[in-house]
Amino acid sequence: MRPRKGWENTLRRHLLPVLVGLWSTLLVVLPAAAFDLQGHRGARGLAPENTLAAFRAALGIGVTTLELDVGVSRDGVLVIAHDPRLNPNYTRDARGQWLGATAPGPALNTLTLAELQAFDIGRLKPGTGYAQTFAEQQPRDGERIVSLETLFAEVARWGGSSVRFNIETKLTPTEPALTPTPEVFAKLVVDAVRRAGLESRVTVQSFDWRTLLAVRQIAPLIQTVALTVQSPNFDNLVDGRWTAGLALATYGGSVPRLVQASGAATWSPNFASLNQAALKEAQALGLKVVPWTVNEPEAIERLIGWGVDGLISDYPDRVRAALVKRGLPVPAALPAQPAQ
């Protein structure tokens, strides 16, 4: 039975604009959600890494995700730091003296949170290769190592209600004495995320896939990210201790298939080792692909053109500019936060 012509006109008049509006909204919203713009260690190229200053800088630019690293202090607190020992490239003691460059700094797990916070990590040591690499980084004297719990609370206070967190567990199977076991480490992370009510806004990543397995066992709602590096200096795929016992040869040498077998939802390779064929294979397997650490404009443009699902960068402003140039949606920037 065919509807009367008047009814057809009513449908056109009222329903069609709604459908067009919904479709327009999808065109705007879906790409923004699809591309994951991550500020590496906050925004390491612009502010001292893994500090509140760096995270504020990233949010002021406008990122989807804050990428960060965590270790564990002697008193069992998750602290935001990349290295298992204090890094002499940017660490000064309470007297303002740089840590000695001839010996490694003290390990995080030998100091309490209060003891760690006596060190100033707000400036790169002049004359070092690290300082030359990040010449645009603006010093912020007085920045301290903070706990993961503090970052969660600060981002909420700044109004970052939709910002995501990509938390890297920093441990290594070759130096087990520097960190808790993978199971203990994973539980500390999961407990902190659950206390903050952030299970839906967190991913956990690692080069040591044992923590990823442990996270999935106790918190299946938290997605995991398999980090890989294939370079002349280090390759975490040739030693099963890093990949929770999985062997690349078992999967015909296919890194995407290996990552899929790990149970991770996302593959984050070092960008120089990624090619288009591997990207497409991974995406066909249902994996997201978010390379690290992509800083140069040429590489940013190339990888966006390939169709990666996101990028991790020390310069999120450069990635954002490339997205805007292509007419792609970008995450909202939060209002500038007052210096503390």
Side-chain angles (χ1 to χ4, degrees):
M1 181 175 175
R2 201 165 177 268
R4 293 191 302 271
K5 189 168 183 178
W7 178 243
E8 290 175 343
N9 290 336
T10 301
L11 282 175
R12 289 194 194 98
R13 217 170 37 245
H14 297 288
L15 184 58
L16 188 58
V18 172
L19 292 174
V20 170
L22 286 172
W23 179 245
S24 300
T25 300
L26 287 172
L27 288 176
V28 172
V29 172
L30 289 180
F35 193 91
D36 188 3
L37 170 49
Q38 298 196 21
H40 185 237
R41 308 187 198 179
R44 176 172 59 163
L46 306 172
E49 67 175 68
N50 279 324
T51 63
L52 292 181
F55 299 123
R56 284 197 299 268
L59 295 176
I61 291 165
V63 297
T64 315
T65 302
L66 295 175
E67 192 273 352
L68 59 120
D69 311 278
V70 290
V72 182
S73 67
R74 191 180 76 194
D75 47 348
V77 178
L78 284 168
V79 293
I80 301 177
H82 178 268
D83 303 295
R85 301 177 183 275
L86 291 176
N87 191 322
N89 286 305
Y90 52 78
T91 307
R92 290 170 287 166
D93 64 20
R95 298 170 300 160
Q97 301 297 309
W98 294 101
L99 295 186
T102 56
L108 300 180
N109 67 353
T110 65
L111 300 171
T112 65
L113 173 62
E115 290 168 335
L116 288 170
Q117 291 185 325
F119 293 91
D120 190 327
I121 58 169
R123 178 181 293 268
L124 295 173
K125 185 176 182 180
T128 61
Y130 209 89
Q132 293 170 2
T133 299
F134 297 104
E136 294 180 39
Q137 187 186 108
Q138 297 298 306
R140 282 293 306 272
D141 295 330
E143 286 294 319
R144 309 290 170 174
I145 291 174
V146 297
S147 68
L148 180 62
E149 182 179 33
T150 295
L151 177 63
F152 288 159
E154 287 297 286
V155 171
R157 187 173 68 83
W158 299 336
S161 59
S162 63
V163 175
R164 298 183 59 82
F165 302 87
N166 188 17
I167 302 168
E168 181 177 347
T169 54
K170 300 303 294 188
L171 76 166
T172 163
T174 61
E175 293 185 282
L178 290 177
T179 61
T181 65
E183 293 75 21
V184 170
F185 207 145
K187 188 174 187 307
L188 286 170
V189 173
V190 168
D191 288 348
V193 170
R194 283 176 168 166
R195 282 196 300 271
L198 291 172
E199 283 179 281
S200 64
R201 287 166 49 199
V202 161
T203 52
V204 177
Q205 65 175 0
S206 192
F207 291 103
D208 187 336
W209 296 2
R210 294 176 300 166
T211 44
L212 306 185
L213 178 62
V215 165
R216 284 196 304 278
Q217 288 175 337
I218 59 177
L221 293 180
I222 298 177
Q223 293 193 344
T224 58
V225 180
L227 282 167
T228 65
V229 56
Q230 294 174 285
S231 72
N233 297 323
F234 178 52
D235 186 337
N236 73 319
L237 301 181
V238 298
D239 185 341
R241 292 179 298 173
W242 287 93
T243 56
L246 296 173
L248 185 59
T250 303
Y251 302 93
S254 165
V255 179
R257 289 177 57 202
L258 179 71
V259 171
Q260 183 190 42
S262 80
T266 300
W267 173 33
S268 276
N270 60 311
F271 82 93
S273 69
L274 182 66
N275 58 54
Q276 282 183 283
L279 168 64
K280 297 308 178 188
E281 180 186 2
Q283 291 174 330
L285 291 170
L287 297 171
K288 294 180 180 178
V289 181
V290 182
W292 62 272
T293 299
V294 192
N295 291 336
E296 297 307 317
E298 182 277 330
I300 292 170
E301 290 283 357
R302 181 177 75 253
L303 290 164
I304 293 174
W306 284 2
V308 294
D309 297 287
L311 291 176
I312 301 172
S313 179
D314 292 316
Y315 302 92
D317 54 330
R318 297 178 184 177
V319 179
R320 187 181 177 91
L323 294 171
V324 170
K325 179 181 175 183
R326 289 172 174 264
L328 297 173
V330 291
L334 292 187
Q337 301 296 323
Q340 295 180 341

